[in-house]
Structures are given as C-alpha cells and as structure tokens.
Amino acid sequence: MNQRAGQVVTVTGGSGYIGSCLVQLLLRRGYNVHATVKNLQDERETKHLQALEGAESRLRLFQIDLIDYDSIVNAVNGAAGVFHLASPCIVDRVENPQRDLLDPAVKGTINVLTAAKKLGVRRVVVTSSVSAVIPSPNWPADKVKNEDCWTDEEYCKQKEVWYPLSKTLAEKAAWKFAEENGLDIVVINPGTVMGPMIPPALNASMQMLLLLLKGCSEHYADVFMGSVHVKDVALAHILVYENTSATGRHLCVEAISHYGDFAAKVAELYPEYNIPKLPRDTQPGLLRSKDGAKKLMDLGLEFITMEQIIKDGVESLRSKGYIS
C-alpha cells in the first residue's frame, strides 16, 4: 500500500500546463489533491482537471487570488504538503511590470508560504525557473551554470526583461521567508517545458515551439537554458517532496543547451516545416552540459531526451489543431 495514499496536498496553479500534469501524477499516486484555479466558472480551467483519472473522488478545486491571503488559506487548510506553481507568466512586452508580474509573483509566494506555516504544512515545493538562474552575464565564463548561479537583477531592469526578474525576486523571497520562519521548502528550477498539453490553452513555452515551426527566428538569448519534458518536471516536484533528503534548488533540464541546438533538432526531425537556420551559439557564454540536473538525477530522475520532448510537443500541437 502506498504510504502517501489519502494524504492531502495542495497544488496552486493546478489548471496550468505543469500544474495539470502534476495533479495527474499525484492522483495516480493516491494523493488527495486540492488544486487552485483563478475562476471556478471557467471550464477552460476546470474541465480538463475534472476529467483526470481519480478526480471524481480525490480532487477538490479552489478559486484563489494570489494577492488575497484568505482565499489561499481555504485551499491549503488540511494539506500535509504544498506545491506552489501559480505565478504570472508573461514573456512578451509588459505594460506595468510591478502590477502584472512582480507583485503577484512575490506577494503571492509570501501569502502561500504564510498560509503553509500557519496551517502546519510539512514541506512546500516552490516552482521557480531557470529564469532565476539566467540571465547571469557575470558568471565565470569557464564554469557550467548550476544551482549557485542567480539571475542578475540589475541586468534585468536595464534590459527590461521582467519575467526573469519576477521569478528571481519570488524565489529569493521564498528562501528568506523559509529561513526566518523555519518552514521546510525545496525549489525546482525548470527549463523550457514542452510535451503533451492537458489544458486547452497554449502556454508560453509551447508557444515558443509553435512559433519556431512557423518560421520565427527569435533566439531567446535571456530566457533559454535547455528544454525539459513536462512529465519530468511534474515528477521532479514529487521526488523532492517525497525525499526528505532533497534540499535547496534543483535545476530541471534534460541538458544545459542552446536554443540553436533545440531549433536544429526540430529542423532535423521535421524538415517539412520552415525552420529557420539559427547560429549554433544562441546563448552567448552558456556552457553546455549533459548533467546540469545532477541533483535530480541523483534522486533517480531519468530525463526524457530532447528528441522525444520535441516529438511529443509537435504531436500535441497537431492533435489540438495548432498546426497541420
């Protein structure tokens, strides 16, 4: 019998791309899941979750606003663990970065952690991003980037790359809160997440693949550090939750690679699409590494290959009618 069976866990951002996959895996493992959505009346947020195996008896949906502490309390109440995924993801131009990205990311994280602490949650898994690791132009040029590397906040402000700044500030706020309040947290830093889509809406990382297939030649110099399968990201969350020995940050990428590597592999696999030929080194100064996610590998995670990530992603885009 699974010792986790019947244990209640909360997943904020449960209707999102990673969140939906995580809810699916948690239900399969026997957990009771409290998943949060922005709007319970919106079927695009709820229907795909309610259709998951085990959802009828072991999934409860809660409507929350990250800035509204009381709404979060309801979702966290009774949970042994919390997976905090909810955070605004806007990689395009942002009109009001403070209001639209920075405040919800930071204040939302603190609200979730405050509720977790007050309600006696044992462990919180915080979903950060490689966007809290890069851009980091001052990192030593001869050293592979790892969990010790942090995004350069001043660079982000100067270049107006607000999403990496939001993820960096939110993660740093989480670590500060945990240290000051004695809360057990562990962090996942996923790369560009792709693969099958459970939700109906297209997320930012799958949009990146779609645009490439349509001929976009963007390099994503400040936000790409490697691809990762959505199932591996979901599994990584569960591994660090269930393994009490897991501590700190965990890079979650199939390999540290350049967007040029990714684009070349897509072109190789799908010559029928008009894939632009990009420079090999699209991420200046980023050293490639096959074991950038060594901490997760040591916990037993065997990463799905880039080739399979692309195939699953393209197949999902086709099945949902985004490409023919």
Side-chain angles (χ1 to χ4, degrees), residues 17-36:
Y17 183 46
I18 301 171
S20 299
C21 190
L22 176 58
V23 170
Q24 182 183 57
L25 291 193
L26 287 167
L27 288 171
R28 282 180 184 168
R29 279 170 113 89
Y31 286 93
N32 288 344
V33 182
H34 290 181
T36 78

Side-chain angles (χ1 to χ4, degrees), residues 255-270:
I256 296 176
S257 59
H258 286 235
Y259 187 67
D261 304 328
F262 180 80
K265 180 58 77 172
V266 176
E268 177 193 317
L269 293 170
Y270 296 97

Side-chain angles (χ1 to χ4, degrees), residues 250-295:
H250 295 76
L251 266 181
C252 187
V253 287
E254 169 268 335
I256 296 176
S257 59
H258 286 235
Y259 187 67
D261 304 328
F262 180 80
K265 180 58 77 172
V266 176
E268 177 193 317
L269 293 170
Y270 296 97
E272 65 270 31
Y273 291 98
N274 181 32
I275 312 295
K277 189 165 177 56
L278 301 183
R280 183 169 183 269
D281 292 343
T282 46
Q283 277 55 39
L286 180 68
L287 295 180
R288 293 168 172 84
S289 173
K290 272 293 178 191
D291 61 353
K294 188 176 186 308
K295 284 181 75 175

Side-chain angles (χ1 to χ4, degrees), residues 183-198:
L183 182 65
D184 178 18
I185 75 165
V186 63
V187 169
I188 297 290
N189 300 82
T192 301
V193 188
M194 298 181 185
M197 293 184 291
I198 297 175

Side-chain angles (χ1 to χ4, degrees), residues 44-63:
R44 291 170 301 176
E45 285 200 70
T46 60
K47 205 171 179 180
H48 60 283
L49 291 176
Q50 290 163 338
L52 294 173
E53 186 183 344
E56 195 173 335
S57 57
R58 288 183 288 108
L59 175 66
R60 285 184 66 194
L61 300 182
F62 293 80
Q63 181 171 306

Side-chain angles (χ1 to χ4, degrees), residues 4-183:
R4 306 284 176 178
Q7 187 182 122
V8 177
V9 290
T10 298
V11 179
T12 72
S15 62
Y17 183 46
I18 301 171
S20 299
C21 190
L22 176 58
V23 170
Q24 182 183 57
L25 291 193
L26 287 167
L27 288 171
R28 282 180 184 168
R29 279 170 113 89
Y31 286 93
N32 288 344
V33 182
H34 290 181
T36 78
V37 300
K38 287 186 200 169
N39 183 2
L40 281 171
Q41 306 309 313
D42 186 350
E43 281 198 345
R44 291 170 301 176
E45 285 200 70
T46 60
K47 205 171 179 180
H48 60 283
L49 291 176
Q50 290 163 338
L52 294 173
E53 186 183 344
E56 195 173 335
S57 57
R58 288 183 288 108
L59 175 66
R60 285 184 66 194
L61 300 182
F62 293 80
Q63 181 171 306
I64 71 162
D65 176 346
L66 286 172
I67 304 299
D68 176 10
Y69 174 76
D70 290 336
S71 72
I72 294 167
V73 168
N74 292 332
V76 174
N77 195 16
V82 170
F83 298 88
H84 177 46
L85 284 75
S87 190
C89 181
I90 311 169
V91 290
D92 301 322
R93 183 166 173 74
V94 186
E95 276 186 29
N96 188 329
Q98 196 68 44
R99 180 196 67 203
D100 298 337
L101 268 177
L102 306 181
D103 282 351
V106 177
K107 290 179 181 176
T109 296
I110 295 305
N111 278 342
V112 170
L113 296 184
T114 301
K117 177 63 182 174
K118 286 190 175 174
L119 294 166
V121 168
R122 289 208 293 271
R123 171 163 272 208
V124 180
V125 180
V126 176
T127 312
S128 186
S129 171
V130 296
S131 287
V133 177
I134 58 165
S136 39
N138 296 320
W139 181 259
D142 59 348
K143 189 177 177 185
V144 174
K145 290 188 177 179
N146 59 32
E147 286 85 359
D148 294 330
C149 184
W150 284 89
T151 286
D152 187 320
E153 294 174 33
E154 288 309 311
Y155 175 93
C156 289
K157 291 171 187 172
Q158 288 165 14
K159 298 282 186 177
E160 297 188 350
V161 271
W162 301 115
Y163 179 67
L165 183 61
S166 76
K167 297 305 288 186
T168 304
L169 294 177
E171 190 189 333
K172 285 184 175 178
W175 285 118
K176 185 169 184 281
F177 181 95
E179 188 178 339
E180 291 175 353
N181 295 277
L183 182 65

Side-chain angles (χ1 to χ4, degrees), residues 176-242:
K176 185 169 184 281
F177 181 95
E179 188 178 339
E180 291 175 353
N181 295 277
L183 182 65
D184 178 18
I185 75 165
V186 63
V187 169
I188 297 290
N189 300 82
T192 301
V193 188
M194 298 181 185
M197 293 184 291
I198 297 175
L202 192 66
N203 63 304
S205 53
M206 286 294 285
Q207 171 90 3
M208 193 185 284
L209 176 58
L210 179 61
L211 289 172
L212 179 65
L213 292 165
K214 290 185 171 182
C216 176
S217 57
E218 173 72 58
H219 288 189
Y220 304 104
D222 288 328
V223 294
F224 191 89
M225 193 176 165
S227 58
V228 62
H229 200 288
V230 64
K231 288 181 181 175
D232 285 343
V233 180
L235 186 54
H237 281 72
I238 295 172
L239 283 174
V240 300
Y241 176 68
E242 293 182 349

